[in-house]
Amino acid sequence: MSQKNLKTKASLGFVGLGAIGLPIAANLLKAGFYLQVHTLSRLAETSKQLKGAKSCSTPKDAAKGCDVLLICVSDEVAVETVLFGPTGAESSLTEGTIVIDLSTISPSKARFFSARLAKRNIEYIDAPVTGGTEGAKDGTLTIFIGASNASFKKISSVLKAIGSAFYTFESVGKGQEVKALNQILVAGSYAAVAEAIALGETLNLPMNKVVEALQKGAANSWALSNRSQSMLKDEYPLGFKLHLHHKDLAIALRTAEESGIKLPITSKVKELEEELIKQGYKDEDVSVLKRSITR
Amino acid sequence: MSQKNLKTKASLGFVGLGAIGLPIAANLLKAGFYLQVHTLSRLAETSKQLKGAKSCSTPKDAAKGCDVLLICVSDEVAVETVLFGPTGAESSLTEGTIVIDLSTISPSKARFFSARLAKRNIEYIDAPVTGGTEGAKDGTLTIFIGASNASFKKISSVLKAIGSAFYTFESVGKGQEVKALNQILVAGSYAAVAEAIALGETLNLPMNKVVEALQKGAANSWALSNRSQSMLKDEYPLGFKLHLHHKDLAIALRTAEESGIKLPITSKVKELEEELIKQGYKDEDVSVLKRSITR
């Protein structure tokens, strides 16, 4: 399929059926693609949402005969295993197929995977997503694509089934770089909302009215509009898991360090998240940052 | 006028004609109020925008015979001087008049000023504003009011001439508490945008496209939408002066400390701002925080 654009009814491999991966895979199935799925726990493969997909026991099997392999796993070690591990996909990927990596990993690892697959004439595209579990379910993810418009066109029918906004950034790794900036912004704005909400509660302010007032001006953010309620209730349903955001901040900080710059606020938020992870909050939404503000 | 609501053509004293105060006073004049103005430098009193206002040599003169005195100065020491200094307004304020303090000061000082004026049956209302120089010019400020709805009604004709959103928080000082939360949010979100923009530039990403992409989701903020351009140009016209935001963060942190909580991100941003002030950036917009991210 290498030079033509992908149609629905094409055959997709999909590896990684977590909180984000499963609803994405379900949307691809709904859009009419033929799906071969695999996930490490093997549990989600047979879920109702994936009825009609073929459950596979290894990434290698999921990749067999596919036009495109999608990967949506939690970190770069997992991506490496999926691609190049003992039962990895590489050996069953044929020349001209495309790997779309939806995972958030470091830009340098994305380039490394790309170079390794390019030797076999397999294109690797980093396409990290943002929009959380809600966006994954609704098919409204924003996708940062480390590839040219021409490459994007080949896979646009796939991505349009799972997202609603697509930004191409020419070369491999650039999608991950933009995702790193995204996570830096999430860090600072969520942490600021956590501090403001915690202080407001301590002062016994009428917080619903306060949040409405604060949204009017320069203090506003997506986090204030969309996560202050969960902080006020002190309940943190997903959303986006704290430990994954923490991993993403590590990537951002390493990328900054490689570029020779320091990010003091991001570093501080990463520290706060580490403390919260130690306290057992790793699987809560990032807005659990509010728990870091205590008396 | 104590019990009835204020009409236009009422007589207002106005002290403090800085970057925010001058356009506010001009809007009051446009709305038809009679204005007696004073400012420390004496310079802005005779500006074209205030044609028709009476220039006064002291706060005491500006307050003479007025129904409402408005104060818009840079800190609580200045408010104290305006009210209670050797040529302060207190001695010429008559029973039943109202003082509207638009300045951002500490909640505890607002309560202190209120108690002192209450002895002479003068009502003091803290009404800090947000919306910057743009909002002040356009008459679209958001105003956090430390008073009951009943008190607000008495002065609503005045405030409606200068703002477009009004939130009352029952008792004196509460307006300042909400303003403190506002500045905490500004701190974290501006600082996060500064870090993201600085890293993105270092990585040679196409930043206009990147900013557009980042606005789609959980990373978005007023700061990203409205201040990333000035960071990209590395030009920081007002806006809101860095040293005033720094003073506001000191208030927020003191308020938090009095409440027994720590705000690590706000503390860190305050440190960064101190460093920038030392470097000579005190009169730039808060978005100059980007300069704190260097190689």
Side-chain angles (χ1 to χ4, degrees):
Chain A
M1 59 144 288
S2 62
Q3 290 320 308
K4 63 184 198 300
N5 300 346
L6 201 70
K7 303 288 180 228
T8 51
K9 304 296 172 192
S11 179
L12 310 180
F14 196 106
V15 178
L17 301 170
I20 305 285
L22 177 59
I24 290 177
N27 281 330
L28 290 169
L29 204 61
K30 247 189 278 176
F33 290 103
Y34 174 73
L35 228 62
Q36 300 181 156
V37 299
H38 168 74
T39 194
L40 197 58
S41 71
R42 308 292 322 270
L43 292 172
E45 288 169 17
T46 53
S47 82
K48 221 167 57 183
Q49 293 164 266
L50 294 187
K51 208 180 159 186
K54 183 181 173 196
S55 170
C56 300
S57 59
T58 63
K60 182 175 173 163
D61 286 349
K64 212 163 272 172
C66 73
D67 301 304
V68 170
L69 174 70
L70 293 108
I71 304 174
C72 188
V73 296
S74 58
D75 60 32
E76 60 202 34
V77 174
V79 174
E80 191 150 24
T81 305
V82 166
L83 285 172
F84 308 112
T87 60
E90 190 193 20
S91 60
S92 56
L93 287 170
T94 55
E95 201 167 300
T97 56
I98 300 178
V99 173
I100 304 176
D101 189 0
L102 305 168
S103 322
T104 297
I105 66 171
S106 67
S108 54
K109 268 290 182 192
R111 290 184 191 110
F112 173 77
F113 296 149
S114 168
R116 191 157 164 189
L117 290 171
K119 287 181 193 159
R120 292 201 40 233
N121 200 19
I122 295 161
E123 186 173 10
Y124 170 97
I125 296 176
D126 52 314
V129 304
T130 170
T133 48
E134 300 101 312
K137 273 180 200 152
D138 303 342
T140 57
L141 294 167
T142 295
I143 310 186
F144 308 129
I145 302 154
S148 65
N149 266 320
S151 288
F152 170 64
K153 271 194 179 159
K154 287 190 274 178
I155 56 167
S156 66
S157 65
V158 175
L159 295 185
K160 282 178 180 168
I162 67 174
S164 58
F166 313 96
Y167 293 90
T168 56
F169 296 97
E170 286 307 322
S171 60
V172 66
K174 292 285 176 193
Q176 297 295 353
E177 289 177 356
V178 176
K179 181 68 186 280
L181 304 194
N182 188 84
Q183 302 303 59
I184 289 168
L185 291 166
V186 164
S189 62
Y190 275 58
V193 173
E195 295 193 352
I197 296 280
L199 179 56
E201 283 185 324
T202 306
L203 296 169
N204 288 314
L205 288 167
M207 289 308 292
N208 285 322
K209 191 174 185 177
V210 168
V211 167
E212 188 194 324
L214 294 171
Q215 283 178 261
K216 289 281 172 185
N220 198 21
S221 63
W222 187 96
L224 181 66
S225 299
N226 293 278
R227 290 294 179 259
S228 49
Q229 282 311 314
S230 93
M231 294 189 198
L232 288 169
K233 285 183 200 151
D234 201 26
E235 288 171 6
Y236 309 96
L238 295 179
F240 183 64
K241 287 184 182 181
L242 183 72
H243 75 100
L244 293 176
H245 186 251
H246 174 262
K247 170 212 68 169
D248 293 356
L249 291 190
I251 291 170
L253 289 167
R254 207 161 59 234
T255 305
E257 203 186 331
E258 288 163 8
S259 307
I261 65 173
K262 285 201 172 75
L263 307 179
I265 300 304
T266 304
S267 302
K268 193 76 201 171
V269 176
K270 180 166 166 278
E271 279 175 33
L272 296 173
E273 292 187 348
E274 268 151 33
E275 195 49 49
L276 289 167
I277 289 168
K278 273 186 213 158
Q279 290 167 31
Y281 299 128
K282 83 181 187 60
D283 289 325
E284 310 272 341
D285 179 70
V286 180
S287 51
V288 75
L289 271 167
K290 198 206 137 198
R291 290 247 171 108
S292 68
I293 315 300
T294 51
R295 277 169 189 272
Chain B
M1 58 142 289
S2 62
Q3 290 320 305
K4 64 184 195 306
N5 300 347
L6 201 70
K7 303 289 179 226
T8 53
K9 303 299 175 192
S11 179
L12 310 180
F14 197 107
V15 179
L17 301 170
I20 304 286
L22 178 59
I24 290 177
N27 281 331
L28 290 169
L29 204 61
K30 246 190 276 173
F33 290 102
Y34 173 73
L35 227 61
Q36 300 181 154
V37 299
H38 168 75
T39 195
L40 198 58
S41 72
R42 307 294 321 272
L43 292 173
E45 288 169 17
T46 54
S47 82
K48 222 168 56 182
Q49 293 164 266
L50 294 186
K51 207 179 159 189
K54 183 181 172 195
S55 170
C56 299
S57 60
T58 63
K60 183 174 174 165
D61 286 350
K64 212 164 271 172
C66 74
D67 301 304
V68 169
L69 174 70
L70 294 108
I71 305 174
C72 189
V73 294
S74 58
D75 60 31
E76 59 200 34
V77 174
V79 174
E80 191 150 25
T81 305
V82 166
L83 285 171
F84 308 112
T87 61
E90 190 194 20
S91 60
S92 57
L93 287 170
T94 55
E95 201 167 299
T97 55
I98 300 177
V99 173
I100 304 175
D101 190 359
L102 304 169
S103 323
T104 297
I105 66 171
S106 67
S108 54
K109 267 290 182 192
R111 289 184 192 109
F112 173 77
F113 296 148
S114 168
R116 192 158 162 189
L117 291 170
K119 287 179 192 161
R120 292 199 42 234
N121 200 20
I122 295 161
E123 186 173 9
Y124 169 96
I125 297 175
D126 53 312
V129 303
T130 171
T133 48
E134 301 102 312
K137 273 181 200 149
D138 303 341
T140 57
L141 293 167
T142 294
I143 310 187
F144 308 129
I145 303 155
S148 65
N149 265 320
S151 289
F152 169 65
K153 270 195 179 159
K154 287 191 275 177
I155 56 166
S156 66
S157 65
V158 175
L159 295 185
K160 282 177 179 169
I162 66 175
S164 58
F166 313 96
Y167 293 88
T168 57
F169 295 98
E170 286 307 322
S171 60
V172 66
K174 292 285 175 193
Q176 297 295 353
E177 289 177 357
V178 176
K179 181 68 187 278
L181 304 194
N182 189 84
Q183 303 302 61
I184 288 167
L185 292 166
V186 164
S189 62
Y190 275 58
V193 174
E195 295 192 352
I197 296 281
L199 179 56
E201 283 185 324
T202 306
L203 296 169
N204 288 315
L205 288 166
M207 289 307 292
N208 285 322
K209 190 175 187 177
V210 168
V211 168
E212 188 194 325
L214 294 171
Q215 283 178 261
K216 290 281 173 183
N220 198 21
S221 64
W222 188 96
L224 181 66
S225 299
N226 293 277
R227 291 293 178 261
S228 49
Q229 282 310 315
S230 93
M231 294 188 197
L232 289 168
K233 285 184 200 147
D234 202 26
E235 288 172 6
Y236 309 96
L238 295 180
F240 184 63
K241 288 184 181 181
L242 183 72
H243 76 99
L244 294 176
H245 187 251
H246 174 261
K247 170 211 68 164
D248 294 355
L249 291 189
I251 292 169
L253 288 167
R254 207 161 58 236
T255 305
E257 202 186 332
E258 288 163 7
S259 308
I261 64 173
K262 286 202 174 74
L263 307 179
I265 300 304
T266 304
S267 302
K268 193 75 201 170
V269 176
K270 180 166 165 279
E271 278 175 34
L272 297 172
E273 292 187 349
E274 268 151 34
E275 196 48 49
L276 289 167
I277 288 168
K278 273 187 213 156
Q279 291 168 31
Y281 299 127
K282 81 181 188 65
D283 290 325
E284 310 272 341
D285 180 70
V286 180
S287 50
V288 75
L289 270 167
K290 198 205 137 198
R291 290 247 172 107
S292 67
I293 316 300
T294 51
R295 275 167 192 273

